[in-house]
């Protein structure tokens, strides 16, 4: 029942292109409570709690080894917490079925691979897996959402192309389209701009922004580039040594001091037209 | 002009997806042509479909022709009319002999060939390794060792040979999987471990063959992959397992496709990757083991057939699995028929033929591709 409701809501967003950002900002989309994790004796996360606001772009940032990848893996259920829990709409994700979670949360991982000779359309259609019944064929509904995912990511004209023939930027868009085909309200992205030329980095980030602004999808991502994180996020969560050091809207929390705490280097922060820039040279 | 419009849209609908780009502007009737790139993509797609269709037709035709040729190759020969008469109308001595001697081995060749080729496809999907072959990674020899044990020591349990062989295959697969796991599965490590496991079980099987005097035809026929003496009983034993294995393989086509993605990605789509991998592995082991129990250990078949299949019909398991089943049946039957023709009246076993052809092919694949070996 609940799943149906979620579907209908997103469907409306799909068909009208309206922002659904306004509704229900009170309850967090996801919540992390007292999360701890360690590899052996090496403590990576120490008692972390945070909330992911609905309809916002949240970026997890920090230096190498600060625990941001671990936090990402725990929130996407690729690792199991030692202590604490991750809640999705108030439910512990550990107790959810993978299939049910895949209908609520989609994830674009950093490394991806596929058969070279599969077409873009076919690969994107894999995003419908959580909705597929055994041996069933694609329904009209499936086709409509796949078409929508291709359209939004600007891939419609490449639908018949083999994935092996795409450029890096196009391929990244295919993985995003596959996640979109899952028709979820929450989208995770792990360093979605790595390995891409700057032009494609911006293209991908603009696409992510569009998904958030036009379709109300809650975005949680890990970004390496400080300025891109500031520029494209509503909220940033900065980690250092397994603890949250910085949390809030980038214009408020980014400063020379907070950057020094996060990355251990003193960098000037300039403000141009109300927008903060960390001078990374 | 409007008529043309309707026709165009009809074509689009039949192709199974709505065109997103506006192919035709409704109000003006002018056509907005798809870009050159799109046309090229569609052309290539059509060509791929065409090539796949032709490949299926050719393999099926070749299989039918070879089937009838194989019936008639040997010291006894009958005409086609005689054959039909002997099979369906009245008893003809020559046809009856062929029915008892040649039909079983033809059926076994086809069933075992289909089973081994599909098993190869499944192993390659599960291990993410295009070089995985039930023969090379030791599954067949594990199964054959178990079959030898039961044939030598408990011949009365002959009926259970396929099940015991399956257990042997599972043990071999478990060994290969665990021993080559080191924070992940490297394609090369799987092959190397597999070679060692294969050597171990092949050695054990030979040892037991020698210890049992080497003259027990049952044991020897498994070790040497000799299917000369097979009867209809063997066909009846083999058939239900192969049929079950192939049906299961078809049921897991979608999962095989999803396993070609990174594990994390498949998991984010709601697939329980570990469970899926274990279940598909068991199907693959089942197919390889029962084929081995009846027809003996055959190397390279499970490697060559899927590889050629990927070139001809593509990597989508929806077409690759059925194609490999057909092409596997064709290849094994061809190897067996060649084996009993080239040095008649002496016979060269299909396994030997496959090794002689498969070895160089395997080396060629290793040398040609940088992708497999790192």
């Amino acid at each position: 029942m609940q799943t149906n409701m979620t579907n209908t809501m997103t469907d409306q967003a799909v068909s009208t292109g309206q922002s659904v950002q306004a509704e229900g900002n009170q309850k967090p989309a996801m919540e992390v409570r007292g999360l701890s994790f360690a590899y052996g004796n090496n403590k990576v996360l120490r008692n972390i709690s945070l909330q992911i606001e609905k309809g916002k772009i949240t970026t997890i940032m920090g230096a190498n080894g600060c625990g941001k990848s671990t936090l990402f893996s725990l929130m996407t259920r690729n690792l199991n917490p030692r202590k604490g829990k991750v809640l999705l709409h108030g439910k512990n994700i550990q107790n959810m079925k993978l299939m049910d979670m895949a209908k609520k949360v989609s994830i674009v991982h950093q490394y991806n691979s596929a058969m070279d000779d599969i077409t873009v359309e076919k690969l994107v259609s894999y995003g419908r897996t959580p909705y597929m019944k055994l041996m069933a064929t694609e329904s009209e509904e499936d086709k409509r959402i796949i078409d929508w995912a291709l359209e939004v990511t600007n891939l419609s004209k490449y639908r018949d192309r083999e994935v092996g023939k795409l450029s890096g930027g196009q391929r990244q868009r295919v993985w995003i389209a596959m996640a979109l085909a899952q028709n979820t309200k929450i989208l995770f992205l792990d360093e979605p701009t790595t390995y891409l030329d700057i032009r494609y980095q911006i293209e991908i980030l603009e696409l992510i922004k569009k998904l958030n602004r036009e379709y109300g999808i809650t975005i949680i991502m890990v970004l390496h580039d400080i300025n891109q994180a500031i520029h494209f996020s509503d909220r940033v969560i900065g980690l250092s040594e397994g603890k949250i050091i910085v949390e809030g809207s980038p214009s408020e929390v980014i400063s020379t001091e907070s950057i020094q705490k996060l990355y251990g280097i003193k960098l000037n922060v300039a403000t141009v037209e109300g927008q903060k820039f960390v001078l990374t040279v | 002009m409007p008529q043309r419009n309707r026709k165009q849209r009809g074509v689009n609908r039949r192709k199974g997806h709505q065109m997103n780009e506006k192919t035709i502007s409704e109000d003006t009737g002018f056509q907005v042509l798809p870009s050159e790139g799109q046309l090229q993509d569609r052309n290539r797609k059509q060509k791929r479909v065409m090539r796949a269709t032709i490949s299926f037709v050719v393999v099926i035709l070749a299989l039918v022709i070879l089937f009838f040729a194989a019936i008639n190759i040997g010291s006894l020969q009958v005409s086609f009319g005689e054959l039909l008469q002997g099979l369906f109308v009245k008893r003809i001595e020559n046809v009856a002999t062929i029915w008892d001697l040649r039909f079983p081995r033809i059926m076994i060749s086809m069933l075992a060939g289909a089973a081994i080729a599909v098993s190869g496809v499944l192993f390659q999907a599960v291990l993410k390794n295009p070089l995985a072959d039930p023969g090379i990674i030791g599954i067949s020899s594990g199964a054959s060792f178990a079959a030898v044990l039961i044939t030598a020591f408990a011949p009365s349990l002959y009926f259970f040979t396929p099940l015991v062989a399956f257990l042997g295959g599972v043990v071999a697969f478990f060994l290969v999987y665990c021993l080559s796991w080191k924070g992940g599965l490297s394609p090369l490590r799987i092959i190397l471990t597999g070679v060692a496991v294969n050597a171990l079980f092949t050695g054990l099987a030979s040892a037991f063959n020698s210890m049992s005097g080497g003259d027990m035809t049952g044991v020897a026929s498994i070790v040497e992959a000799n299917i000369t003496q097979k009867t209809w009983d063997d066909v009846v034993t083999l058939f239900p397992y192969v049929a079950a294995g192939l049906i299961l393989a078809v049921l897991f086509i979608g999962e095989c496709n999803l396993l070609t993605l990174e594990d994390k990605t498949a998991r984010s789509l709601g697939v329980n990757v570990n469970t899926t991998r274990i279940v598909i592995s068991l199907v693959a082991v089942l197919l390889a083991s029962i084929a081995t129990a009846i027809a003996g250990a055959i190397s390279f078949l499970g490697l060559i057939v899927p590889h050629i299949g990927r070139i001809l019909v593509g990597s989508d398991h929806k077409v690759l699995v059925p194609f490999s089943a057909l092409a596997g049946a064709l290849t094994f039957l061809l190897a067996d028929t060649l084996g009993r023709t080239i040095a008649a009246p002496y016979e060269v076993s299909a396994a030997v033929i496959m090794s002689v052809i498969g070895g160089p092919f395997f080396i060629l694949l290793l040398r040609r591709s940088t992708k497999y070996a790192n």
Side-chain angles (χ1 to χ4, degrees):
Chain A
M1 195 60 198
Q2 209 181 353
T3 323
N4 281 341
M5 291 228 331
T6 325
N7 277 347
T8 340
M9 270 167 62
T10 319
D11 287 351
Q12 274 169 5
V14 169
S15 53
T16 58
Q18 268 172 10
S19 169
V20 276
Q21 226 181 319
E23 51 187 88
N25 267 353
Q26 309 89 335
K27 273 192 187 166
M30 286 186 90
E31 202 181 343
V32 170
R33 279 194 202 153
L35 204 60
S36 294
F37 188 83
Y39 293 104
N41 285 329
N42 179 20
K43 283 185 185 156
V44 188
L45 288 184
R46 298 154 196 262
N47 197 19
I48 281 199
S49 294
L50 60 92
Q51 295 194 339
I52 301 293
E53 279 180 54
K54 234 180 226 175
K56 293 273 164 72
I57 299 179
T58 306
T59 300
I60 305 169
M61 53 195 288
N64 290 333
C66 70
K68 59 182 193 293
S69 297
T70 308
L71 177 61
F72 188 92
S73 297
L74 286 164
M75 290 182 75
T76 53
R77 217 178 149 185
N78 280 302
L79 285 175
N80 298 328
R82 281 241 176 137
K83 260 204 290 192
K85 53 192 169 184
V86 178
L87 302 175
L88 170 63
H89 304 308
K91 267 196 267 177
N92 191 339
I93 58 168
Q94 292 288 316
N95 303 330
M96 290 178 82
K97 279 188 189 158
L98 275 178
M99 278 288 174
D100 291 337
M101 194 170 152
K103 290 176 190 168
K104 297 197 167 76
V105 172
S106 50
I107 307 153
V108 178
H109 288 284
Q110 191 176 1
Y111 305 101
N112 274 303
S113 57
M115 302 173 271
D116 278 348
D117 62 352
I118 188 175
T119 63
V120 169
E121 184 177 9
K122 176 91 181 156
L123 185 54
V124 171
S125 79
Y126 288 171
R128 298 304 296 161
T129 306
Y131 301 92
M132 287 291 200
K133 303 232 164 48
L134 192 71
M135 296 305 282
T137 48
E138 274 174 25
S139 67
E140 282 302 310
E141 166 94 353
D142 292 328
K143 279 185 192 131
R144 205 168 52 78
I145 293 173
I146 292 163
D147 282 343
W148 169 74
L150 288 168
E151 188 73 52
V152 174
T153 50
N154 214 355
L155 287 168
S156 292
K157 55 180 173 294
Y158 301 117
R159 65 192 310 149
D160 292 324
R161 188 164 294 184
E162 300 103 303
V163 172
K165 288 206 179 333
L166 296 178
S167 72
Q170 290 167 337
R171 213 170 296 180
Q172 184 65 306
R173 294 212 307 268
V174 173
W175 296 112
I176 294 176
M178 190 175 99
L180 289 180
Q182 281 175 254
N183 198 15
T184 63
K185 303 285 288 169
I186 301 175
L187 172 63
F188 277 87
L189 301 112
D190 190 3
E191 303 207 10
T193 55
T194 331
Y195 313 123
L196 296 180
D197 281 347
I198 183 70
R199 178 185 149 199
Y200 298 114
Q201 291 186 17
I202 301 299
E203 187 186 278
I204 292 294
L205 289 166
E206 289 292 350
L207 168 62
I208 292 168
K209 198 167 181 176
K210 180 169 103 174
L211 294 174
N212 172 258
R213 299 293 189 259
E214 287 180 28
Y215 301 100
I217 297 173
T218 306
I219 309 277
I220 302 143
M221 58 181 169
V222 172
L223 281 184
H224 220 80
D225 187 294
I226 306 175
N227 284 312
Q228 288 177 353
I230 297 172
H231 199 85
F232 286 93
S233 318
D234 300 313
R235 293 182 78 246
V236 290
I237 293 170
L239 295 181
S240 177
E241 292 179 355
K243 284 185 184 156
I244 297 179
I245 301 289
V246 170
E247 191 178 9
S249 87
S251 58
E252 286 165 16
V253 300
I254 295 297
S255 64
T256 304
E257 294 74 46
S258 63
I259 293 298
Q260 181 154 27
K261 274 194 218 160
L262 279 177
Y263 295 96
I265 181 171
K266 200 173 158 116
L267 293 171
N268 287 323
V269 177
T271 309
V272 182
E273 295 172 4
Q275 179 77 46
K276 284 194 178 171
F277 289 92
V278 176
L279 306 178
T280 51
V281 279
Chain B
M1 211 49 164
Q3 223 174 2
R4 196 171 165 191
N5 260 351
R6 218 170 298 135
K7 206 169 151 195
Q8 273 275 354
R9 259 176 282 147
V11 170
N12 291 347
R13 205 169 302 133
R14 236 170 297 135
K15 272 180 77 184
H17 52 70
Q18 303 111 323
M19 296 288 169
N20 251 327
E21 70 280 352
K22 262 202 173 152
T23 315
I24 292 146
S25 160
E26 295 268 336
D27 350 315
T28 57
F30 283 123
Q31 287 201 10
V32 182
L33 290 172
S35 73
E36 198 162 319
Q38 277 167 278
L39 286 176
Q40 275 176 1
D41 290 343
R42 272 178 224 170
N43 257 337
R44 264 207 312 275
K45 193 177 169 188
Q46 275 167 2
K47 267 188 198 154
R48 285 200 301 272
V49 172
M50 189 63 96
R51 190 171 55 211
T53 316
I54 292 173
S55 305
F56 266 100
V57 171
V58 168
V59 167
I60 291 170
L61 275 180
L63 189 58
V64 171
I65 293 168
L66 182 63
F67 179 81
F68 285 108
I71 289 172
N72 233 349
I73 287 174
S75 53
L76 275 182
Q77 272 157 5
V78 291
S79 72
F80 192 65
E82 264 183 307
L83 179 73
L84 287 182
Q85 267 197 327
L87 288 181
F88 300 112
V89 187
K90 57 177 184 187
R91 185 175 169 83
I92 297 174
E93 204 52 48
N94 280 351
V95 175
T97 311
I98 287 174
W99 174 256
D100 284 339
L101 291 182
R102 278 185 211 153
F103 268 82
R105 75 182 293 170
I106 290 171
M107 300 309 281
I108 283 173
S109 298
M110 295 202 303
L111 287 170
I116 292 168
V118 171
S119 167
V121 174
L122 299 184
F123 276 125
Q124 286 148 25
V126 164
L127 299 172
K128 289 182 191 295
N129 184 347
L131 294 183
D133 167 89
I136 297 170
I137 63 171
I139 310 303
S140 304
S141 57
S144 111
F145 173 60
V148 165
L149 277 187
I150 197 154
T151 316
F153 295 110
S156 57
L157 298 177
Y158 179 77
F159 185 73
F160 294 107
T161 310
L163 280 181
V164 175
F166 175 56
L167 288 180
V170 169
V171 169
F173 181 72
F174 183 77
L175 279 177
V176 173
Y177 200 94
C178 292
L179 294 176
S180 50
W181 181 271
K182 223 175 186 181
L185 285 176
S186 125
L188 198 60
R189 211 173 321 123
I190 290 173
I191 300 296
L192 292 177
T193 315
V195 167
V197 170
N198 187 23
L200 171 70
F201 283 119
T202 309
L204 283 172
S206 295
F208 275 93
N209 185 26
S210 310
M211 279 189 253
S212 65
D215 55 354
M216 292 180 67
T217 47
V219 175
S221 82
I222 296 170
V223 174
E224 290 155 16
N226 182 342
I227 57 168
T228 318
Q229 307 290 329
K230 296 297 169 189
T231 64
W232 277 105
D233 284 347
D234 296 303
V235 180
V236 171
T237 315
L238 186 60
F239 179 76
Y241 292 99
V242 174
L246 292 180
I247 289 169
L248 284 171
V250 169
L251 287 177
F252 287 118
I253 279 171
E255 278 77 6
C256 287
N257 278 339
L258 291 171
L259 282 183
T260 61
L261 304 172
E262 289 293 316
D263 282 4
K264 275 185 180 176
T265 309
R267 199 175 142 85
S268 72
L269 294 172
V271 179
N272 194 327
V273 176
N274 291 335
T275 314
T276 308
R277 188 165 268 153
I278 290 170
V279 173
I280 297 179
S281 300
L282 287 179
V283 177
V285 172
L286 173 78
L287 283 167
S289 305
I290 43 151
T292 306
I294 305 296
I298 313 282
S299 285
F300 300 114
L301 182 69
L303 176 81
I304 298 176
V305 170
H307 191 87
I308 293 172
R310 282 194 192 89
I311 295 170
L312 292 177
V313 303
S315 330
D316 186 348
H317 289 81
K318 209 171 174 177
V319 281
L320 185 60
V321 167
F323 182 83
S324 296
L326 289 167
L330 174 69
T331 310
F332 198 126
L333 184 56
L334 187 65
D336 183 55
T337 311
L338 268 180
R340 61 189 174 96
T341 338
I342 43 175
Y346 302 109
E347 289 198 4
V348 183
S349 92
V352 173
I353 303 264
M354 283 313 300
S355 295
V356 170
I357 300 169
F361 187 87
F362 185 68
I363 293 166
L364 195 76
L365 284 187
L366 272 177
R367 289 205 55 93
R368 232 186 50 176
S369 174
T370 50
K371 189 164 67 181
Y372 300 156
N374 55 25

